[in-house]
């Protein structure tokens, strides 16, 4: 499923070829399998993601889903997400739990998307190589010697 485009995933959800819960679990399993070597996630929101996927499946079953309903995605750790650690890749904010959602998060939530977690980034989004995160550098999945940015 991870090789499909967003359009293909949306079509598969609409056709009930797979559920959002199945799709979300697939991506959570890949995160568990590969993130130890890639260091791409700062926070993984397993329970929240599966709850959002279940809600998306209900919307889809009722015919009320939009193009992003049930689609799993990762949010950059710079966007505040209510109740979720949002560190901006910085030691200073390492334990910060956002008390509200950023507008972009609100819009994805309203669209019924599923948040897998928060991805690693250069501290405060300074630079494009992901080498300056408090949580350590991110490795490119295609070449572990290269930067992903």
């Amino acid at each position: 499923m991870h090789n499909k485009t967003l359009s293909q995933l949306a079509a598969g959800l609409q056709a009930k070829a797979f559920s959002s819960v199945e799709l979300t679990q697939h991506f959570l399993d890949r995160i568990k399998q590969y993130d130890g070597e890639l260091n791409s996630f700062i926070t993984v929101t397993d329970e929240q993601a599966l709850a959002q996927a279940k809600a998306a499946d209900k919307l889809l079953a009722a015919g009320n889903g939009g193009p992003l309903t049930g689609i799993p995605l990762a949010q950059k750790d710079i966007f505040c997400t209510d109740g979720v650690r949002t560190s901006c890749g910085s030691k200073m904010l390492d334990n910060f739990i956002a008390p509200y959602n950023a507008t972009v998060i609100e819009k994805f939530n309203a669209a019924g998307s599923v948040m897998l977690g928060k991805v690693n980034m250069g501290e405060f989004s300074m630079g494009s190589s992901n080498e300056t995160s408090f949580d350590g550098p991110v490795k490119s999945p295609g070449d572990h010697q290269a930067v992903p940015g």
Side-chain angles (χ1 to χ4, degrees):
M1 287 193 245
H2 58 276
N3 290 323
K4 294 185 182 299
T5 66
L6 286 175
S7 296
Q8 290 170 328
L9 291 175
L13 287 168
Q14 293 290 334
K16 297 182 180 21
F18 45 84
S19 69
S20 180
V21 169
E22 292 170 321
L23 183 60
T24 299
Q25 190 61 61
H26 172 79
F27 283 104
L28 290 171
D29 291 345
R30 286 185 61 80
I31 293 166
K32 285 181 183 125
Q33 182 178 1
Y34 295 108
D35 198 53
E37 60 191 81
L38 298 177
N39 196 34
S40 56
F41 278 82
I42 291 176
T43 302
V44 178
T45 54
D46 302 66
E47 290 178 20
Q48 178 180 334
L50 291 169
Q52 288 176 325
K54 286 177 188 172
D57 282 335
K58 287 180 183 175
L59 285 172
L60 290 164
N64 296 325
L68 290 177
T69 303
I71 300 291
L73 52 88
Q75 298 288 356
K76 193 170 184 177
D77 195 40
I78 199 163
F79 301 121
C80 285
T81 309
D82 190 15
V84 178
R85 177 179 168 215
T86 304
S87 71
C88 299
S90 173
K91 180 179 181 180
M92 182 174 75
L93 293 175
D94 189 43
N95 294 315
F96 176 67
I97 306 297
Y100 62 90
N101 283 324
T103 300
V104 68
I105 300 297
E106 286 292 328
K107 290 182 182 272
F108 275 117
N109 287 345
S113 68
V114 174
M115 186 181 78
L116 298 169
K118 309 294 275 303
V119 291
N120 202 348
M121 53 181 271
E123 188 171 15
F124 295 111
S125 201
M126 300 295 285
S128 60
S129 65
N130 280 354
E131 294 176 289
T132 61
S133 172
F134 170 66
D135 294 281
V138 178
K139 305 223 184 311
S140 173
D143 178 359
H144 294 322
Q145 302 304 311
V147 298

